[in-house]
PDB file of all heavy atoms in Angstrom:
ATOM      1  N   LEU W 251      60.652  87.650  33.135  1.00 93.00           N
ATOM      2  CA  LEU W 251      61.775  86.836  32.689  1.00 93.00           C
ATOM      3  C   LEU W 251      62.325  85.935  33.784  1.00 93.00           C
ATOM      4  O   LEU W 251      62.733  84.798  33.521  1.00 93.00           O
ATOM      5  CB  LEU W 251      62.895  87.742  32.164  1.00 93.00           C
ATOM      6  CG  LEU W 251      62.619  88.480  30.853  1.00 93.00           C
ATOM      7  CD1 LEU W 251      63.781  89.403  30.516  1.00 93.00           C
ATOM      8  CD2 LEU W 251      62.372  87.506  29.714  1.00 93.00           C
ATOM      9  N   ILE W 252      62.346  86.420  35.031  1.00 92.00           N
ATOM     10  CA  ILE W 252      62.952  85.623  36.104  1.00 92.00           C
ATOM     11  C   ILE W 252      61.935  84.735  36.813  1.00 92.00           C
ATOM     12  O   ILE W 252      62.320  83.847  37.585  1.00 92.00           O
ATOM     13  CB  ILE W 252      63.658  86.517  37.137  1.00 92.00           C
ATOM     14  CG1 ILE W 252      62.650  87.413  37.870  1.00 92.00           C
ATOM     15  CG2 ILE W 252      64.747  87.354  36.475  1.00 92.00           C
ATOM     16  CD1 ILE W 252      63.283  88.293  38.945  1.00 92.00           C
ATOM     17  N   GLY W 253      60.651  84.948  36.564  1.00 90.00           N
ATOM     18  CA  GLY W 253      59.627  84.097  37.142  1.00 90.00           C
ATOM     19  C   GLY W 253      59.264  84.481  38.568  1.00 90.00           C
ATOM     20  O   GLY W 253      59.860  85.359  39.182  1.00 90.00           O
ATOM     21  N   ASP W 254      58.282  83.769  39.106  1.00 86.00           N
ATOM     22  CA  ASP W 254      57.741  84.097  40.425  1.00 86.00           C
ATOM     23  C   ASP W 254      58.605  83.596  41.575  1.00 86.00           C
ATOM     24  O   ASP W 254      58.517  84.119  42.688  1.00 86.00           O
ATOM     25  CB  ASP W 254      56.333  83.516  40.567  1.00 86.00           C
ATOM     26  CG  ASP W 254      55.342  84.159  39.615  1.00 86.00           C
ATOM     27  OD1 ASP W 254      55.576  85.323  39.243  1.00 86.00           O
ATOM     28  OD2 ASP W 254      54.348  83.503  39.254  1.00 86.00           O
ATOM     29  N   LYS W 255      59.422  82.577  41.344  1.00 85.00           N
ATOM     30  CA  LYS W 255      60.202  82.012  42.438  1.00 85.00           C
ATOM     31  C   LYS W 255      61.398  82.873  42.827  1.00 85.00           C
ATOM     32  O   LYS W 255      61.919  82.750  43.931  1.00 85.00           O
ATOM     33  CB  LYS W 255      60.685  80.606  42.061  1.00 85.00           C
ATOM     34  CG  LYS W 255      59.566  79.585  41.975  1.00 85.00           C
ATOM     35  CD  LYS W 255      60.124  78.192  41.695  1.00 85.00           C
ATOM     36  CE  LYS W 255      59.000  77.169  41.641  1.00 85.00           C
ATOM     37  NZ  LYS W 255      59.518  75.807  41.382  1.00 85.00           N
ATOM     38  N   CYS W 256      61.842  83.721  41.932  1.00 89.00           N
ATOM     39  CA  CYS W 256      62.987  84.586  42.224  1.00 89.00           C
ATOM     40  C   CYS W 256      62.486  85.851  42.908  1.00 89.00           C
ATOM     41  O   CYS W 256      61.613  86.544  42.388  1.00 89.00           O
ATOM     42  CB  CYS W 256      63.736  84.940  40.942  1.00 89.00           C
ATOM     43  SG  CYS W 256      65.288  85.806  41.231  1.00 89.00           S
ATOM     44  N   GLN W 257      63.035  86.155  44.086  1.00 86.00           N
ATOM     45  CA  GLN W 257      62.580  87.300  44.862  1.00 86.00           C
ATOM     46  C   GLN W 257      63.327  88.576  44.471  1.00 86.00           C
ATOM     47  O   GLN W 257      64.548  88.554  44.284  1.00 86.00           O
ATOM     48  CB  GLN W 257      62.794  87.045  46.355  1.00 86.00           C
ATOM     49  CG  GLN W 257      62.386  88.194  47.247  1.00 86.00           C
ATOM     50  CD  GLN W 257      60.895  88.477  47.142  1.00 86.00           C
ATOM     51  OE1 GLN W 257      60.078  87.617  47.451  1.00 86.00           O
ATOM     52  NE2 GLN W 257      60.544  89.667  46.705  1.00 86.00           N
ATOM     53  N   LEU W 258      62.592  89.668  44.322  1.00 90.00           N
ATOM     54  CA  LEU W 258      63.176  90.977  44.058  1.00 90.00           C
ATOM     55  C   LEU W 258      63.274  91.760  45.360  1.00 90.00           C
ATOM     56  O   LEU W 258      62.292  91.876  46.098  1.00 90.00           O
ATOM     57  CB  LEU W 258      62.314  91.758  43.067  1.00 90.00           C
ATOM     58  CG  LEU W 258      62.468  91.436  41.584  1.00 90.00           C
ATOM     59  CD1 LEU W 258      61.419  92.203  40.780  1.00 90.00           C
ATOM     60  CD2 LEU W 258      63.853  91.796  41.096  1.00 90.00           C
ATOM     61  N   VAL W 259      64.469  92.300  45.634  1.00 91.00           N
ATOM     62  CA  VAL W 259      64.689  93.182  46.775  1.00 91.00           C
ATOM     63  C   VAL W 259      65.132  94.529  46.212  1.00 91.00           C
ATOM     64  O   VAL W 259      66.096  94.597  45.455  1.00 91.00           O
ATOM     65  CB  VAL W 259      65.760  92.626  47.726  1.00 91.00           C
ATOM     66  CG1 VAL W 259      66.031  93.608  48.870  1.00 91.00           C
ATOM     67  CG2 VAL W 259      65.335  91.278  48.281  1.00 91.00           C
ATOM     68  N   ILE W 260      64.426  95.589  46.557  1.00 91.00           N
ATOM     69  CA  ILE W 260      64.717  96.912  46.015  1.00 91.00           C
ATOM     70  C   ILE W 260      65.131  97.841  47.144  1.00 91.00           C
ATOM     71  O   ILE W 260      64.417  97.982  48.144  1.00 91.00           O
ATOM     72  CB  ILE W 260      63.492  97.512  45.287  1.00 91.00           C
ATOM     73  CG1 ILE W 260      62.925  96.511  44.275  1.00 91.00           C
ATOM     74  CG2 ILE W 260      63.882  98.818  44.609  1.00 91.00           C
ATOM     75  CD1 ILE W 260      63.838  96.182  43.134  1.00 91.00           C
ATOM     76  N   GLY W 261      66.291  98.480  46.998  1.00 88.00           N
ATOM     77  CA  GLY W 261      66.768  99.439  47.988  1.00 88.00           C
ATOM     78  C   GLY W 261      67.151 100.741  47.316  1.00 88.00           C
ATOM     79  O   GLY W 261      67.136 100.867  46.093  1.00 88.00           O
ATOM     80  N   GLY W 262      67.507 101.722  48.130  1.00 81.00           N
ATOM     81  CA  GLY W 262      67.954 102.998  47.583  1.00 81.00           C
ATOM     82  C   GLY W 262      67.059 104.154  47.968  1.00 81.00           C
ATOM     83  O   GLY W 262      65.929 103.983  48.435  1.00 81.00           O
ATOM     84  N   GLN W 263      67.565 105.369  47.741  1.00 75.00           N
ATOM     85  CA  GLN W 263      66.880 106.582  48.160  1.00 75.00           C
ATOM     86  C   GLN W 263      65.593 106.844  47.389  1.00 75.00           C
ATOM     87  O   GLN W 263      64.718 107.565  47.866  1.00 75.00           O
ATOM     88  CB  GLN W 263      67.820 107.777  48.002  1.00 75.00           C
ATOM     89  CG  GLN W 263      69.072 107.689  48.865  1.00 75.00           C
ATOM     90  CD  GLN W 263      70.032 108.838  48.615  1.00 75.00           C
ATOM     91  OE1 GLN W 263      69.880 109.573  47.653  1.00 75.00           O
ATOM     92  NE2 GLN W 263      71.011 108.982  49.486  1.00 75.00           N
ATOM     93  N   ALA W 264      65.470 106.278  46.196  1.00 79.00           N
ATOM     94  CA  ALA W 264      64.302 106.584  45.357  1.00 79.00           C
ATOM     95  C   ALA W 264      63.220 105.517  45.429  1.00 79.00           C
ATOM     96  O   ALA W 264      62.292 105.526  44.619  1.00 79.00           O
ATOM     97  CB  ALA W 264      64.748 106.768  43.899  1.00 79.00           C
ATOM     98  N   VAL W 265      63.312 104.621  46.390  1.00 81.00           N
ATOM     99  CA  VAL W 265      62.338 103.528  46.474  1.00 81.00           C
ATOM    100  C   VAL W 265      60.904 104.050  46.549  1.00 81.00           C
ATOM    101  O   VAL W 265      59.996 103.515  45.898  1.00 81.00           O
ATOM    102  CB  VAL W 265      62.659 102.641  47.696  1.00 81.00           C
ATOM    103  CG1 VAL W 265      61.486 101.737  48.021  1.00 81.00           C
ATOM    104  CG2 VAL W 265      63.896 101.797  47.422  1.00 81.00           C
ATOM    105  N   ALA W 266      60.697 105.098  47.348  1.00 78.00           N
ATOM    106  CA  ALA W 266      59.335 105.603  47.541  1.00 78.00           C
ATOM    107  C   ALA W 266      58.704 106.091  46.246  1.00 78.00           C
ATOM    108  O   ALA W 266      57.475 106.108  46.111  1.00 78.00           O
ATOM    109  CB  ALA W 266      59.344 106.729  48.570  1.00 78.00           C
ATOM    110  N   SER W 267      59.522 106.477  45.269  1.00 78.00           N
ATOM    111  CA  SER W 267      58.983 106.987  44.011  1.00 78.00           C
ATOM    112  C   SER W 267      58.408 105.892  43.121  1.00 78.00           C
ATOM    113  O   SER W 267      57.734 106.180  42.139  1.00 78.00           O
ATOM    114  CB  SER W 267      60.088 107.729  43.238  1.00 78.00           C
ATOM    115  OG  SER W 267      60.587 108.817  43.983  1.00 78.00           O
ATOM    116  N   PHE W 268      58.695 104.644  43.457  1.00 83.00           N
ATOM    117  CA  PHE W 268      58.268 103.533  42.595  1.00 83.00           C
ATOM    118  C   PHE W 268      57.348 102.566  43.337  1.00 83.00           C
ATOM    119  O   PHE W 268      57.307 101.386  43.022  1.00 83.00           O
ATOM    120  CB  PHE W 268      59.500 102.789  42.077  1.00 83.00           C
ATOM    121  CG  PHE W 268      60.453 103.647  41.294  1.00 83.00           C
ATOM    122  CD1 PHE W 268      61.551 104.210  41.913  1.00 83.00           C
ATOM    123  CD2 PHE W 268      60.245 103.911  39.952  1.00 83.00           C
ATOM    124  CE1 PHE W 268      62.435 105.015  41.204  1.00 83.00           C
ATOM    125  CE2 PHE W 268      61.119 104.713  39.235  1.00 83.00           C
ATOM    126  CZ  PHE W 268      62.219 105.269  39.861  1.00 83.00           C
ATOM    127  N   SER W 269      56.608 103.075  44.328  1.00 83.00           N
ATOM    128  CA  SER W 269      55.794 102.204  45.184  1.00 83.00           C
ATOM    129  C   SER W 269      54.824 101.338  44.388  1.00 83.00           C
ATOM    130  O   SER W 269      54.686 100.135  44.640  1.00 83.00           O
ATOM    131  CB  SER W 269      55.020 103.045  46.197  1.00 83.00           C
ATOM    132  OG  SER W 269      55.907 103.703  47.074  1.00 83.00           O
ATOM    133  N   GLN W 270      54.140 101.927  43.401  1.00 85.00           N
ATOM    134  CA  GLN W 270      53.112 101.188  42.682  1.00 85.00           C
ATOM    135  C   GLN W 270      53.688 100.017  41.902  1.00 85.00           C
ATOM    136  O   GLN W 270      53.193  98.895  41.986  1.00 85.00           O
ATOM    137  CB  GLN W 270      52.349 102.119  41.732  1.00 85.00           C
ATOM    138  CG  GLN W 270      51.176 101.436  41.020  1.00 85.00           C
ATOM    139  CD  GLN W 270      50.180 100.844  41.987  1.00 85.00           C
ATOM    140  OE1 GLN W 270      49.641 101.548  42.840  1.00 85.00           O
ATOM    141  NE2 GLN W 270      49.913  99.543  41.877  1.00 85.00           N
ATOM    142  N   VAL W 271      54.755 100.269  41.140  1.00 87.00           N
ATOM    143  CA  VAL W 271      55.310  99.179  40.346  1.00 87.00           C
ATOM    144  C   VAL W 271      55.965  98.128  41.241  1.00 87.00           C
ATOM    145  O   VAL W 271      55.949  96.932  40.924  1.00 87.00           O
ATOM    146  CB  VAL W 271      56.311  99.712  39.294  1.00 87.00           C
ATOM    147  CG1 VAL W 271      57.563 100.271  39.960  1.00 87.00           C
ATOM    148  CG2 VAL W 271      56.688  98.605  38.305  1.00 87.00           C
ATOM    149  N   LEU W 272      56.516  98.531  42.386  1.00 88.00           N
ATOM    150  CA  LEU W 272      57.091  97.553  43.308  1.00 88.00           C
ATOM    151  C   LEU W 272      56.005  96.655  43.876  1.00 88.00           C
ATOM    152  O   LEU W 272      56.219  95.463  44.090  1.00 88.00           O
ATOM    153  CB  LEU W 272      57.851  98.263  44.431  1.00 88.00           C
ATOM    154  CG  LEU W 272      59.065  99.095  44.004  1.00 88.00           C
ATOM    155  CD1 LEU W 272      59.825  99.622  45.214  1.00 88.00           C
ATOM    156  CD2 LEU W 272      59.995  98.298  43.098  1.00 88.00           C
ATOM    157  N   ASP W 273      54.830  97.233  44.119  1.00 88.00           N
ATOM    158  CA  ASP W 273      53.685  96.412  44.515  1.00 88.00           C
ATOM    159  C   ASP W 273      53.316  95.435  43.402  1.00 88.00           C
ATOM    160  O   ASP W 273      53.067  94.254  43.640  1.00 88.00           O
ATOM    161  CB  ASP W 273      52.482  97.296  44.836  1.00 88.00           C
ATOM    162  CG  ASP W 273      52.654  98.097  46.117  1.00 88.00           C
ATOM    163  OD1 ASP W 273      53.642  97.848  46.832  1.00 88.00           O
ATOM    164  OD2 ASP W 273      51.808  98.968  46.384  1.00 88.00           O
ATOM    165  N   ASP W 274      53.306  95.945  42.176  1.00 89.00           N
ATOM    166  CA  ASP W 274      52.879  95.131  41.032  1.00 89.00           C
ATOM    167  C   ASP W 274      53.800  93.925  40.820  1.00 89.00           C
ATOM    168  O   ASP W 274      53.321  92.848  40.426  1.00 89.00           O
ATOM    169  CB  ASP W 274      52.846  95.978  39.761  1.00 89.00           C
ATOM    170  CG  ASP W 274      51.772  97.059  39.809  1.00 89.00           C
ATOM    171  OD1 ASP W 274      50.847  96.942  40.637  1.00 89.00           O
ATOM    172  OD2 ASP W 274      51.879  98.028  39.025  1.00 89.00           O
ATOM    173  N   VAL W 275      55.093  94.096  41.044  1.00 90.00           N
ATOM    174  CA  VAL W 275      56.034  92.999  40.790  1.00 90.00           C
ATOM    175  C   VAL W 275      56.364  92.220  42.060  1.00 90.00           C
ATOM    176  O   VAL W 275      57.186  91.310  42.034  1.00 90.00           O
ATOM    177  CB  VAL W 275      57.338  93.523  40.141  1.00 90.00           C
ATOM    178  CG1 VAL W 275      57.037  94.189  38.813  1.00 90.00           C
ATOM    179  CG2 VAL W 275      58.081  94.473  41.076  1.00 90.00           C
TER     180      VAL W 275
END
């Protein structure tokens, strides 16, 4: 929805649990 130009920054204690999907997006 937000497109490729908008950067996603993910923080928090559970970041390591979502490594694969964070790579994907």
Side-chain angles (χ1 to χ4, degrees):
L251 291 176
I252 65 178
D254 294 333
K255 291 184 179 180
C256 188
Q257 178 63 61
L258 279 174
V259 177
I260 309 295
Q263 298 176 348
V265 165
S267 300
F268 301 96
S269 296
Q270 185 57 57
V271 68
L272 297 186
D273 290 352
D274 293 342
V275 299

